[in-house]
Amino acid sequence: MTHRACRGKRIRRVAGSVGVNSADPQVETVVDLDAVAHNVRILRERAGGAAMMAVVKADAYNHGAVPVARAVLAAGAAELGVTTISEALELRAAGITAPVLTWLNTCDADYAAAITADIEIGVSSADQLRAVEKAARSTGTTAIVTLKVDTGLNRNGVSPEEYPQVLTLLRQLVDEGVVRFRAMFTHFAHADQPDHPVIDKQRDRFVAAVETAAEYGLKPELVHLSNSAATLTRPDLAFDMVRPGIAIYGLSPVHEISDFGLRPAMTFRARVALVKRVARGEGVSYGHEWIAPHATTVALLPAGYADGVPRGVGGRIEVRIGDARYPNVGRVCMDQMVVDLGENPAGVQEGDSAVLFGGAPGDPHAQDWADLMHTIHYEIVCFPRGRVVRTFTGGAGIE
C-alpha cells in the first residue's frame, strides 16, 4: 500500500515552497489536465455554436494557469479570461498567443504592458478608459478594449449613470484609431439559480446596453454573458461566446441540480508521516478535544492550516487511504493533522497516500468541506497553498 502517484500517467511537478525535488511530496495537489479537457468538451457541447472563453483567473482557480490554459485551448476553447494584467502577462510570457481578456484593474495598472502584449482590456469606467487611452498614445499601439456593463450585480462594470459618458469617449477613441472596440460583456448575480427572474432582467438590460452602444455607432464584434452556471443551464443565453470558470475544473456551479458529468480536476493529498498506537483515555492533538474511547491506531498527516487545511474542519472531515475512509480526530494544527485508523485492518503505513478531497470514486469531495464550512467549493480549491507541491497528470501533447 505504498504511495504510487497516478501510475501509468505522465506526471509533472511545479514548485510550491519546498520539496519540489522530492519524488513524492509530503503534501500536494494533483491536477488532472485530461479532466480539464473533458470538462471543456462538455461545456462546448452545452454552448452550442457559441465560442468559449475559459476563465483561468487566480492561477486557474489554484489549478495552475499556464498548464490549464494550454489544456483548455487544446480542448477547443477559443479565448482566455483573467482578472489582472499580471495574470495575462504570465500567459503571454509562457508563449500563449490566444486572445486574453483582463477585466479587473485599477486606473494606475500597467496598461502599456497589456497593450504591447496584445491583451484585451476590459474597462468599467470613464477613468479606466482614459488610462487605457493614455497608455495607447504613449506606446503608439492601438488598444483592444471591451466594455464591461453593470446590469445589476453592482460590482465592476460601467454604471448606468456613467454609460453615456463612456460611450461618447469610446466613440472618439475609435474614430481616432486609439482603441479597437472588440466586445461587450456582463456578469450574472443569480446564475446558480437558473429560474431566478433577475437573470432575465439582466439579459434584457444587457441587450438594451448593446442597442444603446449602436446608437453611438459602436457595434461590438461579439457579446458574452454566460458564466459556468448559465452555460450549463441556460443555452438561450449563449450569445456569441460563453465564459465558464468553475465548471472547467470539474465542480458544478449548481450542484443541487446535477454534476453535469463534470470531473473534478484537483486532488488534495498528503503522505502518511507516522502510524502509532494510542491508549484508551489518551488525548490527541492540542487541547485534547478528542479522547481515545478505546485503544486505537492513528496516522499522522503532514498537512495543516499552513497548507490549506482549515482549522475549522478539525474533527469533522474524513480522508481516504486506499479503499477506506478514516475520520480526522483532534485539532488541525499548522503543519499536521491526525486520523483514526481503528485497529488498522488495511495495514496503513508510513508513505501511504491520504486523499483529503478529490474526484475519484470514494474520495471526499471539495463540496463536503464547503458544506461543513457554510461556503462554496470555489473557496475550497483555493485553500491548498504554502508548502503544497502542484503535480500535473494527463494533457499529453499540449506542452
Side-chain angles (χ1 to χ4, degrees):
M1 197 167 165
T2 55
H3 177 79
R4 292 178 174 85
C6 298
R7 181 172 56 188
K9 286 192 173 185
R10 184 175 61 91
I11 297 173
R12 181 162 54 88
R13 292 196 165 94
V14 174
S17 297
V18 297
V20 69
N21 294 321
S22 169
D24 293 307
Q26 289 194 152
V27 57
E28 66 180 338
T29 54
V30 182
V31 176
D32 184 351
L33 297 177
D34 289 341
V36 169
H38 165 84
N39 300 330
V40 168
R41 288 190 288 269
I42 287 176
L43 289 159
R44 288 185 62 208
E45 182 176 354
R46 291 275 181 163
M52 176 174 163
M53 174 185 290
V55 179
V56 294
K57 65 180 183 178
D59 201 19
Y61 293 49
N62 203 30
H63 288 67
V66 170
V68 168
R70 289 173 175 151
V72 297
L73 292 170
E79 307 191 15
L80 302 170
V82 296
T83 48
T84 66
I85 290 172
S86 61
E87 291 174 326
L89 292 174
E90 178 188 3
L91 299 176
R92 287 287 186 258
I96 293 171
T97 59
V100 179
L101 170 66
T102 170
W103 62 74
L104 184 60
N105 299 284
T106 55
C107 288
D108 59 352
D110 193 353
Y111 292 112
I115 293 167
T116 302
D118 195 33
I119 292 165
E120 186 176 340
I121 301 168
V123 297
S124 294
S125 71
D127 284 346
Q128 289 179 8
L129 184 53
R130 291 188 188 98
V132 173
E133 173 194 4
K134 181 179 178 181
R137 293 187 189 280
S138 70
T139 60
T141 304
T142 300
I144 306 172
V145 166
T146 281
L147 285 187
K148 183 166 191 183
V149 181
D150 184 2
T151 57
L153 185 57
N154 289 303
R155 298 190 314 184
N156 68 328
V158 181
S159 68
E161 293 76 16
E162 196 179 20
Y163 192 48
Q165 178 186 352
V166 170
L167 291 178
T168 299
L169 177 58
L170 181 59
R171 176 72 267 173
Q172 172 192 332
L173 297 178
V174 169
D175 288 344
E176 294 180 22
V178 176
V179 305
R180 167 188 162 200
F181 177 41
R182 181 157 193 258
M184 290 178 65
F185 76 117
T186 193
H187 196 53
F188 286 122
H190 288 276
D192 57 347
Q193 301 166 272
D195 297 321
H196 199 287
V198 169
I199 296 175
D200 291 341
K201 181 183 291 187
Q202 286 192 262
R203 174 204 59 203
D204 293 345
R205 288 176 175 177
F206 182 63
V207 170
V210 175
E211 292 172 349
T212 300
E215 294 172 4
Y216 285 74
L218 295 167
K219 182 175 175 57
E221 298 170 23
L222 70 166
V223 296
H224 50 98
L225 62 166
S226 286
N227 57 5
S228 288
T231 301
L232 291 166
T233 65
R234 293 290 302 265
D236 58 307
L237 301 175
F239 284 71
D240 298 315
M241 186 164 67
V242 297
R243 200 179 61 249
I246 193 67
I248 290 169
Y249 309 99
L251 300 175
S252 171
V254 279
H255 66 89
E256 300 90 347
I257 296 177
S258 173
D259 65 9
F260 301 98
L262 301 169
R263 287 165 43 190
M266 178 188 289
T267 298
F268 187 22
R269 69 187 187 186
R271 298 177 67 210
V272 174
L274 185 68
V275 176
K276 65 193 299 182
R277 292 290 290 174
V278 173
R280 178 177 180 270
E282 287 292 316
V284 170
S285 197
Y286 289 128
H288 285 179
E289 293 179 357
W290 186 79
I291 306 294
H294 47 71
T296 191
T297 302
V298 299
L300 181 69
L301 306 182
Y305 56 79
D307 307 291
V309 184
R311 192 169 180 269
V313 301
R316 300 197 292 158
I317 60 172
E318 295 181 333
V319 305
R320 183 179 66 79
I321 306 175
D323 296 325
R325 287 172 64 153
Y326 302 94
N328 163 232
V329 293
R331 288 183 190 170
V332 171
C333 307
M334 182 180 291
D335 314 296
Q336 52 200 294
M337 57 186 289
V338 179
V339 297
D340 182 17
L341 303 175
E343 290 304 308
N344 194 18
V348 173
Q349 58 187 321
E350 181 179 335
D352 287 345
S353 178
V355 175
L356 283 71
F357 64 74
D363 282 352
H365 195 282
Q367 186 61 47
D368 298 334
W369 286 28
D371 291 342
L372 287 172
M373 299 186 69
H374 305 289
T375 186
I376 54 177
H377 48 43
Y378 298 65
E379 182 178 12
I380 301 304
V381 293
C382 288
F383 280 164
R385 60 182 181 270
R387 296 163 291 200
V388 178
V389 175
R390 184 183 289 142
T391 299
F392 295 95
T393 64
I398 65 170
E399 292 285 352

